[in-house]
C-alpha cells in the first residue's frame, strides 16, 4: 500500500488560486441583487471647521437619484463611544460618520448620494453644494513636536505593550562609553492601497435582518460594529467576506463605507452598495509619520552598553493610536542601561491605522541603522557586531524566548548572500559606473495567539468540513488551515473543505498581527483532536470492532480510516463509523485559548536577518536593489510555498518603504496631495530583481500547539534598514529619512 502523505510541510498551491486568477471569486462589491442601489460618498474639502449650509436640491432633482444623506437627515443612532468601538479601536472616541456639522480632518465623509447606478450617484455628488466656516488647523508633526505627550492608557492589550521601564543609568553609561552614536530618523505618511477598493454591499432582508458583503479582516468585528450602532440583534446581522483583495491592516477596523451602506439600506429598505474610489482610499487610516531619536553606545569590543530610543508618532484629536516602536532594541540586544520613550502628537488628521508590521518596520529602521553606524564606529563588521551582542533571552523582560534561531538566520543568510565578499570601506565596491553596497539588518516580530473557535464535521459521505468565521486576506489562510485539518484527521486534501469568512460561523478574531495561523490553526487542531476522540469512541462500540480493546494511543488515523498501530491490516473506515452512527454526520465544536500558564515564562517572537545589495548610479543617485535574501526563523512552516510568498511580499514592501512610498501633505491646506497611484509611488516589476528566502529550522513546543509563528510581518521589518545600510556602504552617505530619494544622494 502506498504510504499516506502528510499535508503539513507540503508546498501546496492556494486552493482558491484558480477562482481568483479566472475572475470567478466574488469580492464584496461583486454581489448583484434585484433593486440594488449605489452610494457615492461626498468628502470634506476643508481640514477643520463647520458645515454652515448643505444644498442637495440640484442632486435630488436628477431622475434616478434616490436620496442624499447628510448629518441633517441621518437617523438617530447609538450614543456611547463603546457602541462605535471595534476589536482594534484605540483609546478615545471613535469617529462617527455624518455625526454633526463639525469637520475633523480633510477628506472626512460628509454625505452619501444614493442612486440607481454608480455613475449617477457619482454625478449627483458633484451637484451637492456645501459651504463651510473654516477654523485654524495643524497637520505638521515636526512643528507640533513640542506638544508631544505620553499616550493615554486604554484597555490593557497584550498586542501593544507599553515601552519597557528604564534600566541602569543610561546617561552615565552613554557618556562614559568610548563609542557613541546618536541620530534622528523620520518616515513620512504611508497610505493603504490594496488592489481591492473598499466596498460594502448591504442586502436588506426585512424585519431588521441584513446580509452584508464587506471588505474586512474580521467578519465578527464588522457584525458587532453594525449591530451595536444600529440597534440590531447580533443574530440578525450576517457579515460575509470570503475573498479580500489585499488588506494589510486597512480592514482591521470597519471603514466608513460599511456604516454608510448599512445606514442607507435600513433607511431606504433596499439593498445598497457603497464603493470608495482610489482617491477616497486616502481619507482614512494610514501609517503615521514618526520622528525617532536614538543614542546607542558600546565599548571598543563592540558590546552595547547603553541604548536610548525615543519615538514621537502622529495621532488624531479623537483617538490615541499607538504602535510598538521602541520596545524592540532591548528585546534583541542585552544592554545594561536603557531608556525607551514613546510619545504622541495630536493633529487634525484621521486616526492612523495598523499597516503591515506597524511600529516594527518603523522602529527597526532606526534601531538597525544605529547598530550599523555603531559597527563602523567600532570598526567591527555589522554582522559580527550583532553576534557579539546576541542573547538567547529577552532581557527587557528577563525571560528566555520560547525558541530563537536568529543566530542561524545570520549565519545561513550571510553564507548564501556572500557577505564575506563585502569590502568593509564605504565607496570601495563598484560595478561599472555604479557604486555597490552591501547592507544587513535584524528583524523581529512578536508571535502571538488569541482565542478562537472551530467546528469540525465528518459528513455523511465521509468528508471533513471545518467551519470558522476567519477571513483570508490573501495570505493563504484557506490553504494552510485545510492542510492542518487534513493531517489531524489523516485525510487527503481533496476530502477536506474549510468554510470561512462568515460571521455566522464559529468565532474568530480579526485577522492581523501575524497571529492567524497560530490562532485559528490551533482551533482547527483542537477541533480535529476532539473529532478523532468522538470517532474513536463510536468505533470502539461497533460490533466486532478491531479497536474495541485499544486505546487512542494505539491507533493511527490515516487515509480516512482508523488503523491498529500494531497491525496495519486491521482498520475501520470513516464511512463505516458514519453508518454505525445511524448515517448521521458527526460534529464537534471547540474553543482554543492560549496556554498562558505555559507561555508566561517566555517571550515569543519570530526572527529574521535581511541581506541586501544595492547599486547606486554615481551621477544620477538612482538606487536599485539588485538582490536580497531574508532568512527567517518562524517555527514550523505549514506551507513553504505560501509562507515564502508572504516573505517575498514583505521584502517588496520593504523596498517600497525604503525608496518609494510616501503620501505628501501640504501643511497649509492640511491635505494629502498625491491621492492616486500615479503619484503615490510603489515598486513596479522593473524595480524588483533577485529576491530569495531561507526558512531556518526552528522547533517550538511552547508558542502554541502547532509550533507555528506568523510570517506576514517579519518579511518587511528588516528590509528598510538593510537597504539604508547598503546605501551608506555604497555611497558613504547616511540618509535617515525614508523614503530615500535620489536627490539626497547627489
Amino acid at each position: 500500500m502506498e504510504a499516506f502523505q502528510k499535508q503539513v510541510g507540503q508546498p501546496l498551491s492556494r486552493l482558491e488560486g484558480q477562482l481568483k486568477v479566472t475572475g470567478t471569486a466574488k469580492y464584496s462589491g461583486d454581489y448583484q441583487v434585484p433593486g440594488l442601489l449605489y452610494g457615492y460618498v461626498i468628502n470634506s474639502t476643508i481640514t477643520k471647521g463647520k458645515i454652515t449650509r448643505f444644498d442637495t436640491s440640484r442632486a435630488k432633482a436628477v431622475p434616478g437619484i434616490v436620496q442624499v444623506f447628510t448629518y441633517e437627515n441621518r437617523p438617530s443612532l447609538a450614543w456611547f463611544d463603546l457602541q462605535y468601538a471595534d476589536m482594534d479601536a484605540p483609546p478615545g472616541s471613535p469617529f462617527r460618520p455624518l455625526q454633526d456639522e463639525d469637520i475633523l480632518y480633510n477628506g472626512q465623509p460628509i454625505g452619501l448620494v444614493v442612486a440607481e447606478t454608480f455613475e449617477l450617484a457619482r454625478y449627483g455628488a458633484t451637484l451637492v453644494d456645501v459651504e463651510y466656516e473654516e477654523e485654524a488647523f495643524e497637520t505638521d508633526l515636526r512643528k507640533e513636536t513640542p506638544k508631544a505627550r505620553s499616550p493615554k492608557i486604554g484597555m490593557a492589550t497584550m498586542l501593544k505593550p507599553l515601552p519597557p521601564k528604564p534600566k541602569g543609568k543610561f546617561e552615565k553609561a552613554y557618556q562614559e562609553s568610548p563609542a557613541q552614536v546618536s541620530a534622528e530618523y523620520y518616515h513620512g505618511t504611508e497610505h493603504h492601497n490594496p488592489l481591492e477598493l473598499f466596498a460594502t454591499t448591504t442586502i436588506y432582508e426585512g424585519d431588521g435582518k441584513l446580509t452584508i458583503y464587506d471588505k474586512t479582516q474580521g467578519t465578527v468585528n464588522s457584525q458587532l460594529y453594525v449591530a451595536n450602532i444600529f440597534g440590531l440583534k447580533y443574530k440578525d446581522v450576517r457579515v460575509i467576506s470570503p475573498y479580500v483583495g489585499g488588506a494589510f491592516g486597512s480592514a482591521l477596523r470597519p471603514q466608513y463605507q460599511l456604516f454608510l451602506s448599512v445606514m442607507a439600506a435600513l433607511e431606504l429598505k433596499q439593498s445598497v452598495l457603497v464603493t470608495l474610489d482610489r482617491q477616497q482610499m486616502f481619507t482614512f487610516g494610514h501609517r503615521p509619520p514618526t520622528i525617532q531619536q536614538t543614542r546607542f553606545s558600546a565599548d571598543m569590543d563592540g558590546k552595547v552598553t547603553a541604548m536610548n530610543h525615543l519615538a514621537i508618532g502622529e495621532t488624531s484629536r479623537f483617538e490615541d493610536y499607538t504602535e510598538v516602536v521602541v520596545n524592540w532594541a532591548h528585546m534583541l540586544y542585552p544592554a545594561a542601561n536603557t531608556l525607551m520613550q514613546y510619545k504622541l502628537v495630536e493633529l487634525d488628521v484621521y486616526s492612523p491605522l495598523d499597516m503591515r508590521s506597524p511600529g516594527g518596520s518603523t522602529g527597526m529602521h532606526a534601531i538597525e541603522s544605529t547598530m550599523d553606524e555603531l559597527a563602523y564606529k567600532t570598526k567591527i563588521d555589522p554582522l559580527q557586531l550583532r553576534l557579539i551582542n546576541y542573547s538567547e533571552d529577552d532581557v527587557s523582560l528577563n525571560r528566555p524566548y520560547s525558541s530563537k534561531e536568529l543566530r542561524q538566520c545570520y549565519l545561513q543568510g550571510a553564507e548564501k548572500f556572500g557577505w564575506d565578499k563585502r569590502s568593509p570601506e564605504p565607496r570601495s565596491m563598484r560595478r561599472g559606473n555604479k557604486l555597490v553596497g552591501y547592507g544587513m539588518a535584524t528583524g523581529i516580530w512578536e508571535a502571538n495567539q488569541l482565542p478562537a473557535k472551530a467546528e469540525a464535521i465528518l459528513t455523511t459521505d465521509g468528508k471533513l468540513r471545518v467551519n470558522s468565521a476567519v477571513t483570508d486576506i490573501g495570505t493563504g489562510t484557506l490553504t494552510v488551515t485545510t492542510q492542518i485539518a487534513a493531517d489531524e484527521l489523516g485525510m487527503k486534501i481533496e476530502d477536506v473543505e474549510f468554510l470561512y469568512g462568515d460571521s455566522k460561523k464559529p468565532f474568530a478574531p480579526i485577522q492581523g498581527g501575524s497571529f492567524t495561523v497560530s490562532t485559528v490553526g490551533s482551533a482547527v487542531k483542537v477541533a480535529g483532536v476532539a473529532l478523532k476522540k468522538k470517532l474513536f469512541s463510536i468505533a470502539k462500540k461497533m460490533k466486532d470492532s478491531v479497536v474495541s480493546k485499544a486505546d487512542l494511543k494505539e491507533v493511527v488515523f490515516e487515509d480516512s480510516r482508523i488503523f491498529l498501530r500494531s497491525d496495519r491490516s486491521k482498520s475501520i473506515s470513516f464511512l463505516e463509523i458514519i453508518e454505525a452512527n445511524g448515517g448521521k454526520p458527526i460534529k464537534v465544536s471547540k474553543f482554543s485559548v492560549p496556554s498562558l500558564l505555559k507561555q508566561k515564562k517566555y517571550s515569543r517572537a519570530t526572527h529574521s536577518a535581511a541581506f541586501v545589495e544595492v547599486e547606486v548610479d554615481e551621477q544620477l543617485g538612482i538606487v536599485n536593489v539588485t538582490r536580497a535574501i531574508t532568512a527567517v526563523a518562524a517555527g514550523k512552516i505549514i506551507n513553504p510555498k505560501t509562507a515564502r510568498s508572504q516573505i517575498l511580499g514583505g521584502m517588496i514592501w520593504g523596498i517600497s518603504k525604503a525608496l518609494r512610498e510616501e503620501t505628501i501633505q501640504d501643511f497649509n491646506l492640511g491635505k494629502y496631495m498625491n491621492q492616486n497611484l500615479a503619484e503615490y509611488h510603489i515598486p513596479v516589476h522593473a524595480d524588483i530583481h533577485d529576491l530569495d528566502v531561507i526558512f531556518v529550522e526552528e522547533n517550538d513546543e511552547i508558542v502554541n500547539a502547532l509550533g507555528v509563528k506568523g510570517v506576514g510581518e517579519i518579511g518587511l521589518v528588516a528590509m528598510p534598514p538593510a537597504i539604508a545600510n547598503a546605501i551608506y556602504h555604497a555611497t558613504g552617505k547616511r540618509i535617515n529619512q525614508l523614503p530615500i530619494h535620489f536627490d539626497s544622494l547627489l
Side-chain angles (χ1 to χ4, degrees), residues 593-730:
V593 295
S595 178
L596 298 179
L597 196 64
K598 186 177 182 181
Q599 294 176 352
K600 70 177 183 179
K601 298 176 184 176
Y602 300 89
S603 288
R604 304 176 307 281
T606 309
H607 295 91
S608 71
F611 296 84
V612 168
E613 178 190 88
V614 299
E615 288 182 350
V616 183
D617 189 297
E618 193 169 15
Q619 281 77 43
L620 302 177
I622 296 170
V623 180
N624 205 7
V625 177
T626 46
R627 61 190 182 96
I629 288 175
T630 298
V632 181
K636 181 186 290 184
I637 302 301
I638 302 293
N639 185 322
K641 188 173 187 178
T642 56
R644 174 182 166 83
S645 176
Q646 286 297 290
I647 302 300
L648 290 174
M651 292 172 73
I652 292 167
W653 200 328
I655 294 169
S656 184
K657 182 174 174 60
L659 302 175
R660 301 280 187 276
E661 198 164 339
E662 182 181 21
T663 320
I664 307 297
Q665 192 176 70
D666 185 325
F667 298 126
N668 294 314
L669 300 174
K671 179 182 179 181
Y672 300 115
M673 303 306 292
N674 55 330
Q675 299 181 42
N676 55 72
L677 288 183
E679 297 168 308
Y680 184 85
H681 295 159
I682 56 177
V684 296
H685 286 293
D687 296 316
I688 305 302
H689 301 286
D690 183 10
L691 303 182
D692 201 1
V693 180
I694 298 169
F695 286 113
V696 170
E697 187 173 337
E698 184 175 62
N699 180 45
D700 196 321
E701 297 179 355
I702 294 158
V703 69
N704 51 59
L706 293 165
V708 300
K709 300 176 180 179
V711 294
E713 263 85 6
I714 194 66
L716 168 55
V717 288
M719 280 293 287
I723 292 168
N725 294 340
I727 290 172
Y728 175 75
H729 181 236

Side-chain angles (χ1 to χ4, degrees), residues 98-335:
L98 310 193
Q99 172 70 14
D100 51 34
E101 69 272 28
D102 291 338
I103 301 298
L104 305 178
Y105 71 97
N106 200 294
Q108 175 179 319
I110 58 173
L112 179 73
V113 179
V114 181
E116 293 172 359
T117 68
F118 172 79
E119 291 78 11
L120 197 54
R122 182 173 58 185
Y123 170 62
T126 68
L127 302 178
V128 176
D129 297 314
V130 188
E131 293 179 6
Y132 304 95
E133 181 182 289
E134 293 193 60
E135 297 174 15
F137 58 83
E138 191 54 70
T139 60
D140 187 344
L141 176 65
R142 287 191 183 278
K143 186 177 175 183
E144 294 295 289
T145 297
K147 297 180 182 177
R149 58 164 175 79
S150 297
K152 296 168 187 170
I153 306 299
M155 287 189 293
T157 168
M158 62 181 283
L159 300 181
K160 290 190 176 181
L162 294 171
K165 293 178 181 178
K167 288 193 175 183
K169 296 179 179 179
F170 167 77
E171 294 293 348
K172 184 174 186 293
Y174 180 77
Q175 296 300 333
E176 291 177 356
S177 296
Q180 301 170 2
V181 171
S182 64
E184 180 172 295
Y185 298 85
Y186 177 81
H187 75 70
T189 305
E190 297 170 36
H191 271 88
H192 287 282
N193 274 291
L195 271 176
E196 182 197 11
L197 297 166
F198 273 80
T200 301
T201 305
T202 302
I203 311 298
Y204 183 76
E205 310 278 12
D207 298 323
K209 292 182 170 64
L210 301 173
T211 299
I212 302 167
Y213 297 95
D214 186 37
K215 181 191 173 87
T216 179
Q217 287 174 251
T219 57
V220 176
N221 197 29
S222 290
Q223 176 199 31
L224 298 177
Y225 176 82
V226 167
N228 286 336
I229 291 173
F230 294 95
L232 303 173
K233 295 175 182 176
Y234 295 132
K235 66 182 179 64
D236 290 341
V237 179
R238 183 182 186 186
V239 177
I240 301 173
S241 187
Y243 303 108
V244 180
F248 311 103
S250 62
L252 284 172
R253 302 190 67 183
Q255 301 303 350
Y256 62 75
Q257 92 288 337
L258 171 62
F259 175 100
L260 295 172
S261 173
V262 171
M263 178 198 71
L266 289 171
E267 286 297 290
L268 299 173
K269 295 181 170 50
Q270 275 186 263
S271 301
V272 178
L273 164 61
V274 177
T275 304
L276 303 186
D277 63 23
R278 183 57 65 182
Q279 186 169 338
Q280 289 166 334
M281 295 291 289
F282 291 81
T283 61
F284 54 87
H286 53 275
R287 195 193 300 277
T290 306
I291 298 166
Q292 300 179 78
Q293 294 168 357
T294 58
R295 290 185 294 164
F296 287 15
S297 64
D299 59 30
M300 293 314 290
D301 292 327
K303 198 72 176 174
V304 177
T305 54
M307 296 188 297
N308 170 216
H309 189 181
L310 164 67
I312 301 173
E314 171 191 276
T315 192
S316 66
R317 302 273 187 204
F318 47 89
E319 289 179 315
D320 262 28
Y321 172 80
T322 62
E323 294 185 327
V324 179
V325 180
V326 302
N327 301 31
W328 310 104
H330 207 208
M331 290 175 69
L332 285 168
Y333 306 119

Side-chain angles (χ1 to χ4, degrees), residues 453-457 464-468 506 523 527 587-590:
K453 192 176 186 181
E455 180 182 63
I457 305 168
L464 176 63
R465 183 181 301 139
V466 182
N467 290 312
S468 170
K587 177 169 68 174
V588 297
S589 185
K590 285 289 180 181

